[in-house]
Amino acid sequence: MAYGSKEQGPMGHGHDHAGHDHADLEHPDQDHADQPQSGHADDHDDHDHGHAPAVNAANERVVLIGFLLTAGFMLAEIVAGLLSGSLALIADAGHMLTDAAALLLAWAAFRFGRRASDGKRTFGYMRLEVVAGLINAVTLFALVGWIVYEAIQRFMTPHEVLAGPMFVVAALGLVVNIVVFLVLARGDKEHVNIRGAMVHVLGDLLGSVAAIAAAVTIWLTGWMPVDPILSVLVSLLILRSAWTLFRNSLHILMEGTPGNVVIEDLSKALVAQVPGLEAVRHVHVWSITSGKPVATLEIALAPGGDAAVVTCAVKRTLRADYGITHSTVEIVWGADGASCALTPDEIP
């Protein structure tokens, strides 16, 4: 992931954008023509560039189905884990509990994320999905810590495990997890929310496999330590996925540049490709949510450059080369805009 600038944020230059309508980010099929006026224009043209995740009822539905399946089987697995004495089953049940909470949170995020923007929230509620993804990652960290702690206790004080009930429940859990994973795969996997839910379910699936392996090993050999050992191994796999989800969600919340954007290269490319464009300054590119990049920038015209033609060409280039379908371009005349209000003071 490229990090091209430290100046990213929803206000790419000094003047106020609060009155601009950002509803096109929520309704990608809505067409807006470029109408540059007074050297300043917003690009609301949402022609497709690749695949942009959609905040829609389909994503909401698959997450809700996943929640109902996960929550239902979780209750059975908790009871079976306690009766059989299996840490692997209890760990998997605990993971399913976080899955159920994560899926419920994801459903709520999709539900509210489709609400229209208003005067107080000009970008709407789409970023709730990213917040939900971050919370999902944090719950995974907490779960891994709990499993490792319990595994250490089991090594110190071994517990007898009933291999038969453990195997049956783990096998059923594997089937449920596969079904939930396939249901979520029908949604939009570009969303951090959908990806987060799939990471949770994949961790559950691996947990079920580990529980099956532990049950078979205990049944054949009677070696009880295999149960906490496999629990820790699954936890390490979950930890890696949780870190990726945490990093991606935090990057969006910190308004970092999308992975395909390097600010310096973008500025040079615009000057090279757009006739009549002399300079590009104060470029800010960030994502409102997964697949929804936006940009603000200031441009200076070359002598004889036509303001309307150059502005529209800049917008088309951003859309075609970088998938930025919502951009705000300000033409700076003379020495105006020489500095950016968002540039931090240098540390002495």
Side-chain angles (χ1 to χ4, degrees), residues 85-88 147 150-161 166 210-211 213-215 217-219 221-233:
S86 169
L87 176 60
I147 292 175
E150 286 294 325
I152 293 173
Q153 299 300 312
R154 288 294 179 96
F155 279 120
M156 297 175 61
T157 307
H159 286 66
E160 183 180 358
V161 178
M166 177 182 177
T217 301
I218 292 172
W219 181 61
T221 68
W223 191 51
M224 299 300 172
V226 69
D227 183 53
I229 288 174
L230 290 179
S231 298
V232 172
L233 291 178

Side-chain angles (χ1 to χ4, degrees), residues 173-246:
L174 179 63
V175 173
V176 171
N177 285 319
I178 291 174
V179 172
V180 174
F181 188 86
L182 293 176
V183 169
L184 292 175
R186 296 170 55 191
D188 196 329
K189 293 183 287 294
E190 293 300 314
H191 267 297
V192 293
N193 234 8
I194 295 291
R195 287 204 306 268
M198 292 179 72
V199 167
H200 275 272
V201 175
L202 184 59
D204 267 344
L205 193 150
L206 294 174
S208 296
V209 172
I212 291 173
V216 172
T217 301
I218 292 172
W219 181 61
L220 293 176
T221 68
W223 191 51
M224 299 300 172
V226 69
D227 183 53
I229 288 174
L230 290 179
S231 298
V232 172
L233 291 178
V234 171
S235 297
L236 295 178
L237 295 176
I238 296 172
L239 186 62
R240 181 181 177 182
S241 298
W243 170 249
T244 300
L245 177 62
F246 177 82

Side-chain angles (χ1 to χ4, degrees), residues 43-128:
D43 181 15
H44 299 275
D45 193 343
D46 263 336
H47 296 296
D48 289 338
H49 178 91
H51 176 69
V55 183
N56 54 36
N59 284 332
E60 180 183 327
R61 183 168 54 252
V62 298
V63 170
L64 180 60
I65 293 173
F67 164 73
L68 294 175
L69 290 173
T70 302
F73 188 78
M74 174 200 68
L75 298 176
E77 195 167 35
I78 290 175
V79 174
L82 293 174
L83 293 177
S84 67
S86 169
L87 176 60
L89 275 186
I90 295 175
D92 196 40
H95 195 181
M96 293 193 84
L97 175 61
T98 64
D99 284 356
L103 288 167
L104 184 61
L105 184 61
W107 174 82
F110 280 122
R111 188 75 171 179
F112 288 104
R114 292 191 292 120
R115 288 187 174 183
S117 59
D118 53 40
K120 291 184 177 180
R121 298 170 183 84
T122 57
F123 286 105
Y125 294 79
M126 287 184 289
R127 189 157 281 190
L128 279 175

